[in-house]
Amino acid sequence: MNAPEIITNGAWQAVPHMTDYRAEWFSEMLVERATWSSTAPTRQLGGQVVAGPGYVWFRFWLLENELIVEKYFDANGKVVGFYIPICMPLQRRVNTLRVISLILGLWLQPDDRVTVLHETEFDQAVAAGTVAPVEAEQAEFRIRELTFAIAQKRFPPAMVRNFSIRL
């Protein structure tokens, strides 16, 4: 069964098959980048391949919104999609950022279709008490808030939505 996990900035440096890690601060946003190595196995999310040799991942830490958005590119630099983990509010200690992921996530395709991921695992964790009632309430609020903002084209922020790469 899944349980809430802690996500911290810099963690991608320790992920096998992730290389060329970089991080850059932009005012109230930290942007992390890593490339999947030539020997990386493929991974899927929401029925879409999001990782494999040459894929590039970005993680945008949106301090103002107290959340993170991951944007995935294939080996040709084409946007594969966005993953938005549903988390408790972001915590910052100097240059260390962390969030507690609440199992649920939103998968946003480039054509703006949204899918809620990991609902069964979330429900099981809530029933088992692994996710506290206040955390479950936070997760459900975030899902409603974010899906509404996505439908109105207010989320992800323009910087994230329009961000592209050239390989």
Side-chain angles (χ1 to χ4, degrees):
M1 179 185 334
N2 288 347
E5 68 174 300
I6 296 172
I7 301 171
T8 59
N9 64 304
W12 283 352
Q13 295 176 86
V15 175
H17 300 294
M18 286 187 110
T19 63
D20 193 27
Y21 173 83
R22 305 172 202 179
E24 185 78 32
W25 280 96
F26 297 95
S27 186
E28 290 298 307
M29 179 188 326
L30 173 66
V31 180
E32 295 182 281
R33 174 196 192 277
T35 303
W36 287 88
S37 72
S38 60
T39 60
T42 61
R43 292 187 185 183
Q44 290 193 0
L45 187 62
Q48 173 69 45
V49 174
V50 296
Y55 277 59
V56 180
W57 283 14
F58 283 84
R59 181 178 283 159
F60 298 86
W61 293 82
L62 307 173
L63 277 60
E64 185 176 313
N65 300 90
E66 295 190 321
L67 50 83
I68 58 179
V69 177
E70 295 177 358
K71 187 170 186 176
Y72 307 137
F73 295 86
D74 69 14
N76 297 314
K78 181 181 173 194
V79 176
V80 175
F82 302 83
Y83 178 66
I84 306 144
I86 303 304
C87 304
M88 293 300 290
L90 187 142
Q91 301 168 7
R92 180 178 183 178
R93 297 239 184 340
V94 188
N95 286 332
T96 301
L97 304 174
R98 107 184 193 147
V99 292
I100 299 172
S101 172
L102 297 174
I103 304 167
L104 290 170
L106 292 177
W107 175 246
L108 176 59
Q109 295 179 35
D111 65 3
D112 292 331
R113 286 186 290 160
V114 179
T115 305
V116 178
L117 301 175
H118 318 301
E119 290 179 284
T120 301
E121 294 89 342
F122 175 77
D123 291 342
Q124 291 171 346
V126 170
T130 307
V131 171
V134 68
E135 293 171 327
E137 187 175 306
Q138 171 72 15
E140 292 166 1
F141 171 78
R142 278 288 194 182
I143 290 282
R144 287 190 303 274
E145 175 185 56
L146 289 170
T147 54
F148 184 68
I150 290 167
Q152 293 187 322
K153 306 245 188 259
R154 292 184 296 112
F155 193 85
M159 163 71 175
V160 177
R161 181 176 291 281
N162 299 326
F163 187 85
S164 63
I165 62 172
R166 291 180 195 246
L167 298 176

